[in-house]
Amino acid sequence: MRSDGGRSERWRIGERFDAAADYDGAASVQRLTAGRLMRHIELAFGGKKPGRILEFGCGTGALTLLLRERWPEAEIIATDIAPAMLGRAEGRCGAGVTFALMDMAEPDAADAVRGMFDLVCGNLVLQWAADREKVLDGLAGFLAADGFLAVSTLTEGSFAEWRQAHEAVGAEAGIRRYPAFRVLEAGWPEGADEGGLARCASGRWVAETVLEQTGGGLNFLRGLQRIGATAPRAGSRPLAPGGLRRVLCRFDTDGAAMTWEIAYGLFRMPPRAGVFVTGTDTGVGKTFVSACLVRAWEALYWKPLQTGLCEEDGDTPEIMRLTGAGPGRILPPGDTFLAPLSPEDAARKEGRRVDLARLALPEDDRFRPLVVEGAGGLMVPVTEADAACGTPGVMMIDLMARFGLPVVLVARSGLGTLNHTLLSLGALRTRGIAVLGVVLNGPLNPDNRAAIEAHGKVRVLAELPFVEKVTPEAVERLSRCFAGRRD
């Protein structure tokens, strides 16, 4: 074993769980969250069936058993850092599951988990990770295209009553601290495809509060011991017996209830390599940026909806002209309309509706990135609601969510961009749509760039100067601004 402090700490935690012989009898909240996480997973898959499932931190198999019962045909690999836990999980679940020793912080070291999975999941284990985002990114790397990463974890506010009882008697609780929910919201898992293009996961975190009636502080401590969750916060010092008695008395006097703040995260990897290019407005340079990306990544290009063909040839032939890519890489639009209006209005002018069935993400050359260019901004109407069929209207942002590709948001660099850009980023995050980054068009504006990165919690991929005449030479030159995405 390497003399790595972080790794040694993780294995010490594993040894505590290994010694928890009565884990199942005490882990009532863990069983509750396993069931609720399972419901989130089922909703995500709908009628689909995952072929391969990887569970990390399986413990004694509460979630493992639910997975096996729901999808008995799936290949399930359940892992944990504690060998004795794996033994108890195997005894609980029986045949149909492969159990393997794995450290979630170093999943590449486990031979059993080679290959791609349709589902990677873990119940109430992520809070033990020293570097949560690194663990999520590493596990996301095992996901197949369109695969799901599903986790539950503790957040700030968990065990607040226990901390308050300590504070009331002038002591400090040695219990671990957990991240605020807003911190979790800012960190989504991200992997990379074979060419190095970021595979940002779409999804969201959902918060839940569970109130446990402990039956007294002594019962609470015994419960932690029974499940092995006794590893203290680094640097904390245990209380003397007298101090602990005062804490227990205060906790019991205050009602002996315990709050668990749970966050459930469910993230979907893109169905293929690629991005959806949208803008904060019409005319901000989406087609120019799309051309640069097609050139930089040697990507495919697809425009789902093209309007305004009565006035111009459209964006598809323009991309072909600017990039020099042939028809094999420049795919025909999903649907086209004559009027220079929103797809909804342009279709109405022609006496028809946008046929969403025609807007399936192309399957062509799946290992080559696909640049999808939207029409206008996020809230451009695509179809109106159909009262007779009971179907809601569809906006451009709905198509983004449907396609599942991370978004490149194109914005102006100058005055007024902060409001438009931050509103757009907020709308995307609310819908659980991943954002690869922002591209700023126009004169360099360091203040606006810094504000967008800080308040939008996003990276600016490139700042493109104003180009008086958009030519293939200009696209070739400025496409180098994006070449680093494939390093």
Side-chain angles (χ1 to χ4, degrees):
M1 183 184 297
R2 292 185 293 110
S3 58
D4 182 298
R7 192 165 191 261
S8 299
E9 172 66 11
R10 295 195 301 274
W11 284 97
R12 282 196 293 271
I13 291 171
E15 288 169 355
R16 290 174 185 264
F17 281 107
D18 246 354
D22 191 27
Y23 184 97
D24 289 332
S28 57
V29 175
Q30 285 79 359
R31 291 194 301 275
L32 173 70
T33 56
R36 292 182 178 173
L37 179 60
M38 187 67 206
R39 285 197 287 275
H40 283 294
I41 293 171
E42 288 178 306
L43 286 172
F45 275 90
K48 296 180 181 179
K49 295 181 180 180
R52 299 191 78 217
I53 300 172
L54 171 64
E55 183 186 0
F56 62 98
C58 70
T60 59
L63 178 60
T64 318
L65 187 60
L66 296 175
L67 292 166
R68 196 200 67 181
E69 290 174 346
R70 180 65 180 84
W71 293 300
E73 306 90 353
E75 178 190 355
I76 301 174
I77 300 176
T79 69
D80 202 282
I81 200 172
M85 282 285 193
L86 287 172
R88 290 195 283 276
E90 188 167 8
R92 178 182 201 167
C93 298
V97 178
T98 299
F99 293 91
L101 196 66
M102 187 186 84
D103 180 353
M104 65 179 173
E106 297 179 354
D108 286 331
D111 290 335
V113 301
R114 299 300 178 201
M116 296 288 101
F117 294 85
D118 303 304
L119 171 64
V120 175
C121 55
N123 178 51
L124 285 188
V125 63
L126 191 62
Q127 65 269 10
W128 296 105
D131 189 337
R132 178 186 63 259
E133 292 190 10
K134 181 180 178 181
V135 167
L136 287 175
D137 288 349
L139 292 168
F142 288 101
L143 285 170
D146 225 17
F148 288 91
L149 174 64
V151 300
S152 61
T153 188
L154 297 179
T155 66
E156 186 179 60
S158 294
F159 314 133
E161 298 86 350
W162 188 245
R163 301 180 199 278
Q164 290 162 6
H166 279 73
E167 293 170 2
V169 300
E172 183 179 2
I175 204 162
R176 288 173 171 252
R177 297 191 178 99
Y178 306 109
F181 185 73
R182 65 180 181 276
V183 173
L184 288 179
E185 286 185 304
W188 290 3
E190 181 177 298
D193 67 14
E194 293 180 352
L197 182 64
R199 291 199 310 157
C200 301
S202 59
R204 60 165 58 87
W205 291 93
V206 178
E208 179 187 36
T209 299
V210 175
L211 189 64
E212 178 190 16
Q213 301 298 332
T214 66
L218 197 55
N219 282 341
F220 170 67
L221 287 182
R222 287 172 176 165
L224 292 182
Q225 291 172 341
R226 288 167 68 193
I227 67 174
T230 55
R233 187 181 75 253
S236 64
R237 306 177 71 176
L239 289 178
L244 181 58
R245 282 195 296 271
R246 289 192 294 274
V247 169
L248 291 171
C249 181
R250 182 55 183 255
F251 179 76
D252 292 349
T253 299
D254 289 343
M258 190 68 72
T259 297
W260 297 64
E261 296 290 351
I262 314 293
Y264 299 91
L266 189 69
F267 302 95
R268 173 192 175 196
M269 295 307 287
R272 60 168 299 153
V275 294
F276 191 111
V277 178
T278 189
T280 56
D281 198 353
T282 299
V284 294
K286 294 189 302 298
T287 302
F288 180 55
V289 170
S290 296
C292 289
L293 293 176
V294 168
R295 184 65 185 260
W297 297 339
E298 298 180 358
L300 307 179
Y301 172 86
W302 182 55
K303 180 91 170 180
L305 295 167
Q306 176 68 63
T307 64
L309 291 181
C310 67
E311 296 182 352
E312 57 183 28
D313 293 335
D315 296 327
T316 301
E318 178 70 357
I319 292 289
M320 193 177 293
R321 180 185 74 85
L322 292 173
T323 64
R329 284 175 48 200
I330 309 301
L331 309 179
D335 207 347
T336 60
F337 307 92
L338 296 175
L341 302 169
S342 71
E344 176 188 285
D345 286 339
R348 188 185 297 117
K349 292 284 187 183
E350 298 179 21
R352 59 191 181 100
R353 287 171 56 90
V354 172
D355 184 1
L356 296 177
R358 298 178 61 179
L359 303 184
L361 204 62
E363 296 287 331
D364 307 61
D365 201 353
R366 289 183 58 83
F367 294 103
R368 188 189 291 271
L370 170 68
V371 174
V372 180
E373 183 184 350
L378 278 65
M379 305 309 292
V380 169
V382 174
T383 65
E384 60 186 338
D386 189 335
C389 298
T391 56
V394 172
M395 312 293 278
M396 193 59 61
I397 194 171
D398 298 311
L399 286 186
M400 298 176 202
R402 178 180 176 181
F403 293 150
L405 297 177
V407 164
V408 171
L409 179 65
V410 183
R412 296 181 177 87
S413 63
L415 186 65
T417 196
L418 294 183
N419 185 58
H420 293 163
T421 305
L422 296 179
L423 282 173
S424 296
L425 291 171
L428 290 166
R429 290 235 165 82
T430 298
R431 289 294 304 273
I433 299 171
V435 179
L436 180 64
V438 172
V439 176
L440 294 175
N441 264 333
L444 294 182
N445 193 319
D447 292 338
N448 280 349
R449 173 177 182 150
I452 288 168
E453 290 185 325
H455 297 291
K457 298 179 177 60
V458 70
R459 57 191 166 194
V460 171
L461 300 176
E463 294 176 276
L464 304 183
F466 173 74
V467 176
E468 186 171 350
K469 187 175 182 180
V470 179
T471 62
E473 292 74 25
V475 167
E476 194 282 328
R477 174 170 51 86
L478 292 175
S479 69
R480 299 170 193 165
C481 298
F482 299 95
R485 295 296 97 202
R486 296 185 63 76
D487 287 346

